[in-house]
Amino acid sequence: AGPLAAEVLADLGAEVIKVEPPGGEAMRGAAYAIAACQRGKRSLAMDIGAAEARPVVERMITWADVVLHNFRVGVSERLGIDEESVARLNPHAVYCHASAFGPTGPRAKAPGNDALMQALTGFERAIGGAGNDPIAATWIPIDMVGGWVAATGILAGLYARATSGRGQRVATSLLGAGMLLHCGVFRRDGRVVRGPELDAGQTGYGPGYRLYEAGDGGWLALVLPDAEAWARLRTLPEAASLPATYAPLRGGPDDARARAAEAVLEAAFASAPAADWVSRLHALGVPAERVEAMDRDAYRRGILDDPVNRQLGRVVAYDTADWGHFEQIGPLLRCGPSVAGGPPLMLPGTGEHSVAVLAVHGFATAEI
């Protein structure tokens, strides 16, 4: 969450200095983590807790608009980069701590990561479906959400500083990010209001919002947002027996009607290939897409090689020192009317920019 937040800021044009130990940060051994969260940063390698490093630490803090870390609660105090220490050195800085459980509470000092927060918030149960075993979401969704939440908080902190002239504190947590993914759960008059729940077949939430298997063994996603889309779907001869009223979700008093509608659509979609059905549904203005059976190579061909994605800057290509020619999802936020330009496209090696960064901040070569 912390590294991704900083990458978002780099994508928006910030100069981001990544401080890591001389031997490299712990995630250096996981290439996907470096590729996903370190683009556009410069690496300054030093032992941040060493007495000899303190002048560098203090000068960097004084220079920075934002100080961001995701250490466990208590570590920043030991390293002298806690909120109070930063505020003494730079009262105008935005200070962001992206922690596991938040800055206070009985578990504030406990470790946490995406997998633990998936378990704690019930995420793995929710995507497993009713009555099924839990499923681990290996794409680290809570880490990703946590990074974007932290980046949003930092940007809000910078805006608040610009209007008030005072530094700001931004506190985010992985637990909060996991809770955000359940924001459709709420209580009314003391009772939990039931929302859509994934079915046991892991296809969706009801006849108008689920996956269907087509006649060729392929699958399609159908999403009917309103009664008008439902009415357009009913103009198909194969769907004429659907209820006249909109039945989007399973559960509650309309459950039997929803399940009957699902049976009608299951039989209809089984009569032709998925691509044919998607074409027919698009012609009616009904939202539907084929479910792409993508392994990593298919993703490359379908997404990274898409010329529109490349033209719009959603995919970028550049050369790296360690991996040669490199292609990945690019900066998704853009400022201004043009997609040209953008942040530096690079993946920093450990300490690659140490000498240059320290020289810029006034440390002579003999001191480095």
Side-chain angles (χ1 to χ4, degrees), residues 7-282:
E7 181 181 275
V8 171
L9 300 178
D11 284 346
L12 290 170
E15 180 182 356
V16 178
I17 308 299
K18 169 186 174 60
V19 181
E20 59 183 320
E25 64 148 308
M27 294 302 291
R28 281 282 179 185
Y32 69 88
I34 298 300
C37 299
Q38 305 301 344
R39 181 182 59 240
K41 304 176 188 179
R42 295 199 289 169
S43 172
L44 168 58
M46 66 177 178
D47 180 358
I48 195 173
E52 297 84 353
R54 191 61 194 174
V56 177
V57 173
E58 293 188 355
R59 194 170 300 181
M60 297 299 296
I61 289 174
T62 303
W63 160 81
D65 292 299
V66 177
V67 175
L68 162 66
H69 72 88
N70 64 341
F71 291 122
R72 276 197 250 175
V73 170
V75 174
S76 63
E77 287 81 2
R78 175 166 56 82
L79 295 175
I81 57 168
D82 56 286
E83 183 183 356
E84 290 185 5
S85 299
V86 170
R88 283 196 302 270
L89 292 165
N90 185 351
H92 301 291
V94 173
Y95 184 89
C96 179
H97 182 194
S99 65
F101 290 93
T104 60
R107 302 191 68 177
K109 294 185 178 181
N113 61 18
D114 179 274
L116 295 175
M117 293 306 169
Q118 285 189 43
L120 189 62
T121 60
F123 186 84
E124 293 158 325
R125 283 284 181 188
I127 63 172
N132 293 328
D133 292 335
I135 292 178
T138 57
W139 63 92
I140 55 173
I142 294 179
D143 266 347
M144 295 293 101
V145 172
W148 281 93
V149 168
T152 302
I154 291 168
L155 293 173
L158 289 169
Y159 182 81
R161 185 188 73 170
T163 57
S164 70
R166 299 190 301 272
Q168 302 291 319
R169 175 192 185 215
V170 177
T172 67
S173 68
L174 284 183
L175 178 60
M179 293 168 62
L180 180 62
L181 295 174
H182 292 275
C183 60
V185 178
F186 60 96
R187 294 175 66 182
R188 184 173 60 204
D189 296 330
R191 300 179 62 184
V192 174
V193 177
R194 183 174 179 180
E197 298 175 2
L198 187 65
D199 65 1
Q202 300 173 332
T203 60
Y205 310 113
Y209 201 105
R210 60 163 284 189
L211 308 177
Y212 288 95
E213 186 173 11
D216 60 348
W219 291 76
L220 62 98
L222 179 72
V223 177
L224 302 178
D226 48 39
E228 288 74 15
W230 183 265
R232 289 195 294 272
L233 181 65
R234 292 185 69 246
T235 63
L236 291 168
E238 297 90 340
S241 60
L242 287 174
T245 53
Y246 184 35
L249 300 175
R250 210 182 294 103
D254 291 330
D255 188 72
R257 186 166 64 96
R259 292 184 183 278
E262 283 183 316
V264 171
L265 292 174
E266 285 172 352
F269 293 133
S271 66
D276 294 351
W277 272 115
V278 169
S279 296
R280 291 180 65 187
L281 293 168
H282 282 181

